[in-house]
Amino acid sequence: MNFHIRAATKQDCKDVVRMIMELALFEKMSDQVKISREELERDGFCQNPAFGCLIAEVPEENKSKEGLTTVGYALYFSTYSTWKGRSMDLEDLYVMPEFRGFGIGKSLLSAVAKVTKEEACARLQLGVLDWNTPSRDFYAARGAQDLTVSEGWHLIRFDGANLDNLANDASKI
Amino acid sequence: MNFHIRAATKQDCKDVVRMIMELALFEKMSDQVKISREELERDGFCQNPAFGCLIAEVPEENKSKEGLTTVGYALYFSTYSTWKGRSMDLEDLYVMPEFRGFGIGKSLLSAVAKVTKEEACARLQLGVLDWNTPSRDFYAARGAQDLTVSEGWHLIRFDGANLDNLANDASKI
């Protein structure tokens, strides 16, 4: 299967939103998706973009049964480690089911790793769900460490009313 | 105990590096700390800073036994969620042991939550170690969700040779 990895443009946001939803459905959390195409366009394609995005594209002759040629994406952004300095987070890596097994996911991951090195980031981090064995195996086979297993890191979140309450407490100080 | 929360300046980096090391020692991972004062100054106090930092300061009459008045910090940066849009990560929250129990940590956390809301971020996330019960309880008491427990998220990392190998694969495509 021929495919091509390239930087996303504003025009890709429609396809990226479609694939964000496909990935969330696979992760059984599609009810959490609130993003819109307009927000992605605004946040990723401006003066100081909040993220970078790579697209996997197949030629017209290999299009999906729905007629789609944009078949995968990787979305990432730079973060900071107080131990190592500049770092990179891979928010999403996705390939449409009928295009798996051709090395597209590996190429997207490698391309993000290349950006990570080019931007002088010491590491590339991502989150994966416990039951998502194919993904966990995919990353482990390429040498990734599972820090939740090896060091015991937990992901903690404030949002909604909890975040509002915390922020309101600050106003009272 | 009187204390004051304020934005860090470049001149605070010496104290921040000291406290980064104190926190890493507590987390039993001080061998992982490679950051320098110069890197923090360069990355955090430039045109497009990689992070924001708040400082907790006590008046001279409450200084530590070593004569220090900068007794805590919170370091954070903006990230991106493909489900919710702009998000915030709290990389570190630390208060020196002899200054705990006076509400300094809670004030730092609230101040970061306020910044999170001001920057129109939908959520504030952080990592905490499995065995660090006081911190886990501190966040849980304020309504945070432990997503590693409730949803099964694992933190995965590429660095060193693994990251280099991935990036080199991209060059061959």
Side-chain angles (χ1 to χ4, degrees):
Chain A
M1 169 88 61
N2 279 328
F3 64 88
H4 171 64
I5 308 292
R6 61 169 174 81
T9 69
K10 206 169 183 173
Q11 288 66 44
D12 291 308
C13 288
K14 185 183 165 193
D15 278 304
V16 176
V17 165
R18 166 181 59 80
M19 292 187 286
I20 286 170
M21 185 50 86
E22 290 173 21
L23 176 54
L25 278 164
F26 169 74
E27 288 175 327
K28 299 168 190 159
M29 292 193 217
S30 57
D31 57 315
Q32 295 200 26
V33 181
K34 305 290 173 209
I35 203 90
S36 69
R37 174 183 170 177
E38 291 69 26
E39 285 171 283
L40 272 191
E41 288 176 354
R42 179 195 67 198
D43 296 339
F45 301 91
C46 53
Q47 187 83 27
N48 289 309
F51 59 83
C53 186
L54 297 172
I55 291 290
E57 201 165 43
V58 294
E60 192 65 27
E61 64 264 29
N62 294 124
K63 67 186 175 194
S64 77
K65 51 185 184 294
E66 303 89 353
L68 300 162
T69 54
T70 301
V71 303
Y73 76 106
L75 193 142
Y76 56 90
F77 46 78
S78 60
T79 64
Y80 204 76
S81 160
T82 46
W83 296 351
K84 308 284 184 187
R86 287 184 186 273
S87 185
M88 190 73 83
D89 265 25
L90 177 60
E91 169 75 1
D92 286 346
L93 177 66
Y94 177 75
V95 177
M96 289 171 66
E98 69 186 280
F99 293 92
R100 292 181 195 162
F102 301 108
I104 300 178
K106 186 173 181 306
S107 291
L108 281 167
L109 179 63
S110 289
V112 174
K114 190 162 174 255
V115 175
T116 302
K117 296 295 291 183
E118 284 166 358
E119 297 196 5
C121 296
R123 58 195 201 183
L124 174 62
Q125 299 196 153
L126 59 117
V128 69
L129 286 161
D130 192 59
W131 54 262
N132 190 355
T133 312
S135 288
R136 292 179 66 184
D137 291 348
F138 172 83
Y139 295 117
R142 286 157 186 85
Q145 283 177 272
D146 184 326
L147 299 179
T148 296
V149 170
S150 65
E151 297 181 349
W153 289 103
H154 283 227
L155 176 63
I156 305 289
R157 178 185 295 164
F158 289 98
D159 60 3
N162 300 316
L163 182 60
D164 292 344
N165 292 341
L166 273 185
N168 289 337
D169 283 349
S171 308
K172 290 178 211 142
I173 295 165
Chain B
M1 168 91 60
N2 280 328
F3 63 89
H4 171 65
I5 308 291
R6 61 168 175 80
T9 68
K10 207 169 182 174
Q11 286 67 43
D12 291 308
C13 287
K14 186 183 165 193
D15 278 306
V16 175
V17 166
R18 166 182 59 81
M19 292 187 287
I20 286 170
M21 185 51 85
E22 289 173 20
L23 175 54
L25 278 164
F26 168 74
E27 288 176 328
K28 300 169 189 157
M29 292 193 217
S30 57
D31 57 316
Q32 294 199 28
V33 181
K34 305 290 175 207
I35 205 89
S36 69
R37 174 182 171 177
E38 291 70 27
E39 284 172 285
L40 273 190
E41 288 175 354
R42 180 194 68 199
D43 296 339
F45 302 90
C46 53
Q47 187 83 27
N48 290 308
F51 59 83
C53 186
L54 297 173
I55 291 290
E57 202 165 43
V58 293
E60 193 64 28
E61 64 264 28
N62 295 123
K63 67 186 176 193
S64 76
K65 51 184 184 292
E66 304 89 351
L68 300 163
T69 54
T70 302
V71 302
Y73 76 106
L75 192 143
Y76 56 91
F77 46 78
S78 59
T79 64
Y80 203 77
S81 160
T82 47
W83 296 352
K84 308 284 183 186
R86 288 184 185 274
S87 186
M88 191 72 84
D89 265 26
L90 177 60
E91 169 75 0
D92 287 344
L93 177 67
Y94 177 75
V95 177
M96 289 170 66
E98 68 186 281
F99 293 92
R100 291 180 196 162
F102 301 108
I104 300 177
K106 186 172 182 308
S107 291
L108 281 168
L109 179 63
S110 289
V112 174
K114 189 161 175 258
V115 175
T116 302
K117 295 296 291 183
E118 284 166 356
E119 297 196 6
C121 296
R123 59 196 200 183
L124 174 62
Q125 299 196 152
L126 60 117
V128 68
L129 286 161
D130 192 58
W131 53 262
N132 189 357
T133 312
S135 288
R136 291 179 67 183
D137 291 348
F138 172 83
Y139 294 117
R142 285 155 186 85
Q145 281 178 273
D146 183 326
L147 298 179
T148 296
V149 170
S150 64
E151 297 181 350
W153 289 103
H154 283 228
L155 175 64
I156 305 289
R157 178 185 295 163
F158 289 98
D159 61 3
N162 300 315
L163 182 60
D164 291 345
N165 291 342
L166 273 185
N168 289 337
D169 283 350
S171 309
K172 289 179 211 142
I173 294 164

